[in-house]
Structure formats: structure tokens, C-alpha cells
Amino acid sequence: MAHLSDDKHPVIRRCVAINENTLPETLALLGEELYDFGIKYFVAHNPNTPEEVRENLKKNLPRGTWAITPNIEMLRNYYDNEDDDWD
């Protein structure tokens, strides 16, 4: 999970953030995400996230919002819109 938390694709990082097997240290690092709201949202709601990280994120996230749970279709669409190859 720690290795995947540094993946360039936000869909992969969201999957790490939502996974209940992700270590607290990894979640704390993901909580520093600058651009993807979904990553921050899932870190804030993961029970393994350290309490101070969770509380800080919840204070700073807009109230009444939620993120879309990542799925394979999101990943496929992300790659379809990229210039990257699967090679």
C-alpha cells in the first residue's frame, strides 16, 4: 500500500486511501494531498487514519460533500484520457 500511495494516478491513491488495511503512516502522508479532494475525503473517513490527521482534514473539508468511490471504470477512463500506454 505504501508503494501504491505514491502512484501518479489519483484513482490508485484513492483506492489506497479508502482501504482499511492501509497503515496510519501511509494515510497521514496521503492526507497531505494538494489536488484531489477524493483522496483527502477517504483519508478523513478511514478508521486507520491518525486522529489528529482525521480531525484536521474534517475541519478543512467542505461540509456536506462526499467523494465518488473509486472503481475500475474510473481507472479505465483515466487511462483512456491519458497519453500513457499500458506498456
Side-chain angles (χ1 to χ4, degrees):
M1 290 301 200
H3 176 73
L4 292 174
S5 71
D6 195 32
D7 195 276
K8 70 178 184 174
H9 301 293
V11 174
I12 299 296
R13 294 194 315 274
R14 280 186 185 200
C15 289
V16 174
I18 202 170
N19 191 306
E20 292 185 4
N21 293 315
T22 302
L23 296 175
E25 301 82 30
T26 302
L27 290 165
L29 290 173
L30 283 170
E32 297 174 6
E33 171 68 32
L34 297 176
Y35 303 108
D36 191 293
F37 165 82
I39 294 169
K40 290 174 145 180
Y41 176 87
F42 291 122
V43 169
H45 291 86
N46 190 314
N48 288 341
T49 300
E51 188 64 31
E52 68 181 43
V53 174
R54 187 181 312 123
E55 291 304 316
N56 185 39
L57 286 170
K58 285 184 177 182
K59 278 191 269 183
N60 293 314
L61 290 172
R63 293 189 185 273
T65 57
W66 63 91
I68 298 171
T69 304
N71 59 47
I72 193 69
E73 191 64 31
M74 287 174 69
L75 186 59
R76 185 176 302 124
N77 290 339
Y78 188 87
Y79 276 107
D80 286 346
N81 294 321
E82 283 281 308
D83 291 331
D84 294 342
D85 290 328
W86 286 91
D87 301 322

